[in-house]
Amino acid sequence: MSLIVHKYGGTSMGSPERIRNVARRVTKWARAGHQIVVVPSAMSGETNRLLALAAELAPQRPSAAYHRELDMLAATGEQASSALLAIALQAEGMDSVSYAGWQVPVRTDSSHTKARIESIDSERVRADLDDGRVVIVTGFQGIDELGNITTLGRGGSDTSAVAIAAAMGADECLIYTDVDGVYTTDPRVVPAARRLHTVSFEEMLEMASLGSKVLQIRSVEFAGKYRVPIRVLSSFTPWDIDLAEEMQSGTLITFEEDEKMEQAVVSGIAFNRGEAKVSVLGVPDTPGIAYRILGPVADANIEVDVIIQNISKEGKADFSFTVGQADYQRTLDLLREAVAPAMGAQEVVGDPNICKVSIVGIGMRSHVGVASKMFRVLSEEGINIQMISTSEIKTSVVIDEKYLELAVRALHTAFGLDQQTA
Ligand code: ADP
Ligand code: ASP
Ligand code: MG
């Protein structure tokens, strides 16, 4: 008998009919003799609906108190879907109980709307499993040491599931979603994208951090730290599909680099539409510029991604970096009001219509010329590169958002990732 964690995303939980299908699939697994913990997301659209209501009523200057209430609010989406799933399981004749994160408890730090899981007490869940129940634990949430409900950031149910799997020493964590695995790039943008049977943990980590939202980055970090085997698979196959077939379907995140993987220089292409560029122009080119600009940005808890500083002309330099779109206005205000005047910069300008496109592959370690091929492909398409950043197994470029699809498709073809059509 194995212990398996199932996670179902919002679309998979999107209607009573879909919840019934989830219940039937889970029942099939439980009746085959497995202990099952299910981590559901809120029904699709529900988190957005709740957050939009809050935005309508939000104070002018949102404070920590506001973010606390956002978590109280957003966490209800998963509480509702979890209870509905427990009811659907009971209707299938399966003994089942649901718990909100705070009841387990899933303990987190106090960073409202982007809390980090610190520990999970698995005793209560284990006792129910041992009594033959399917246990449902709400995704996306926990409780801090003062008893406040917290949430883990958008897409956080993936992280809840992997963290629970790690805490319970589960044999596998199955992430059921609306695509049938991890693809070479988002199949909704490139129809020729290919499903990967396996993807290395390191590549998945890069792809998730570079914008492939199929897995939340923190879930991959957890999987790496605790060596939790993760499989991404479809919740849209018939629920009564043969169990052995289902166990082999989708994409397995592996911790071993096999020979086949080494052959693919670029394994996938990730992109992120959610960034914006900010530039401080005409900064005196003296030691400490980066610190004087980025220090206050970091103090304001704004995460910075790609950074470049242009060569100076007549003692003045331009300094640009990207931030998440949600932080764009706040960053501009901060730089214009406090930072730029204090350092005698000429101007602060911004562009919210940029995106980041990245090629990822562990094969890049041992092959030269991969980045230059990327730049050539983009230049042949007439796409201007605004910023570049590289690491051992990825190269990212920042480009105008209107070229996103063109860039991803051209790179996908050029690096031989398109599906072979017979
Ligand atoms: P869920 O609600 O199940 O958590 P998400 O919408 O968060 O689902 O993630 C699944 C989506 O991720 C897919 O519908 C797909 O559009 C997108 N996606 C982005 N990059 C990839 C990729 N490389 N492989 C598969 N899906 C991807
Ligand atoms: N419901 C949350 C969201 O929409 C968490 C999740 O789906 O993983 O972001
Ligand atoms: Mg998701």
Side-chain angles (χ1 to χ4, degrees), residues 77-366:
E78 271 71 9
Q79 192 172 325
S81 62
S82 294
L84 289 170
L85 180 57
I87 291 168
L89 279 161
Q90 289 159 12
E92 294 299 317
M94 198 70 233
D95 198 0
S96 166
V97 59
S98 73
Y99 294 114
W102 64 267
Q103 291 174 302
V104 173
V106 175
R107 294 187 197 283
T108 72
D109 65 16
S110 301
S111 320
H112 285 293
T113 75
K114 48 184 170 199
R116 283 178 177 272
I117 295 178
E118 288 178 341
S119 65
I120 296 178
D121 191 343
S122 60
E123 229 170 275
R124 192 170 189 176
V125 175
R126 209 174 286 282
D128 282 307
L129 289 174
D130 290 343
D131 285 345
R133 289 187 194 97
V134 168
V135 183
I136 302 164
V137 178
T138 52
F140 183 51
Q141 58 195 269
I143 185 170
D144 76 359
E145 61 176 2
L146 297 173
N148 298 302
I149 288 176
T150 53
T151 66
L152 310 180
R154 300 306 305 267
S157 299
D158 296 330
T159 303
S160 307
V162 179
I164 288 166
M168 305 207 53
D171 296 280
E172 197 162 359
C173 181
L174 303 181
I175 307 279
Y176 286 91
T177 183
D178 55 8
V179 282
D180 63 354
V182 178
Y183 278 69
T184 46
T185 193
D186 189 339
R188 295 186 204 287
V189 171
V190 181
R194 232 180 332 114
R195 180 166 63 83
L196 300 162
H197 291 283
T198 57
V199 61
S200 76
F201 157 72
E202 279 178 284
E203 287 171 327
M204 196 61 240
L205 197 60
E206 285 286 7
M207 281 176 63
S209 82
L210 295 167
S212 299
K213 71 164 184 167
V214 62
L215 286 176
Q216 199 202 35
I217 171 81
R218 286 199 197 146
S219 70
V220 189
E221 288 168 357
F222 255 104
K225 192 163 170 196
Y226 298 100
R227 298 272 148 168
V228 181
I230 302 186
R231 183 179 291 275
V232 177
L233 68 174
S234 172
S235 70
F236 291 157
T237 52
W239 66 265
D240 55 355
I241 163 184
D242 178 62
L243 199 70
E245 189 185 328
E246 189 171 336
M247 279 173 161
Q248 295 301 316
S249 67
T251 301
L252 182 70
I253 320 292
T254 61
F255 295 101
E256 287 139 35
E257 297 178 10
D258 66 22
E259 277 173 34
K260 202 165 95 271
M261 286 179 202
E262 288 285 359
Q263 280 165 18
V265 179
V266 171
S267 309
I269 299 179
F271 53 84
N272 187 0
R273 298 178 202 269
E275 291 191 35
K277 187 170 84 166
V278 178
S279 302
V280 188
L281 307 180
V283 200
D285 191 7
T286 50
I289 297 186
Y291 176 63
R292 288 180 67 190
I293 295 176
L294 296 180
V297 173
D299 291 344
N301 227 339
I302 297 170
E303 227 172 279
V304 169
D305 186 12
V306 186
I307 305 169
I308 56 168
Q309 182 181 332
N310 290 348
I311 294 201
S312 69
K313 262 188 274 155
E314 292 154 15
K316 302 268 186 189
D318 297 339
F319 192 91
S320 302
F321 57 95
T322 63
V323 293
Q325 256 163 23
D327 290 324
Y328 175 61
Q329 196 54 49
R330 212 154 57 93
T331 311
L332 276 185
D333 292 347
L334 175 76
L335 293 175
R336 284 184 178 147
E337 283 164 23
V339 179
M343 56 196 305
Q346 277 155 1
E347 204 185 351
V348 178
V349 293
D351 182 356
N353 300 315
I354 53 124
C355 66
K356 187 172 69 173
V357 176
S358 312
I359 54 173
V360 176
I362 40 182
M364 287 168 74
R365 275 192 199 126
S366 46

Side-chain angles (χ1 to χ4, degrees), residues 9-39:
T11 322
S12 312
M13 295 290 294
S15 65
E17 199 42 48
R18 288 194 175 156
I19 294 177
R20 188 175 295 124
N21 270 320
V22 169
R24 289 182 173 158
R25 189 183 297 276
V26 169
T27 301
K28 174 185 73 179
W29 278 81
R31 297 232 161 101
H34 300 292
Q35 291 190 318
I36 306 289
V37 178
V38 189
V39 179

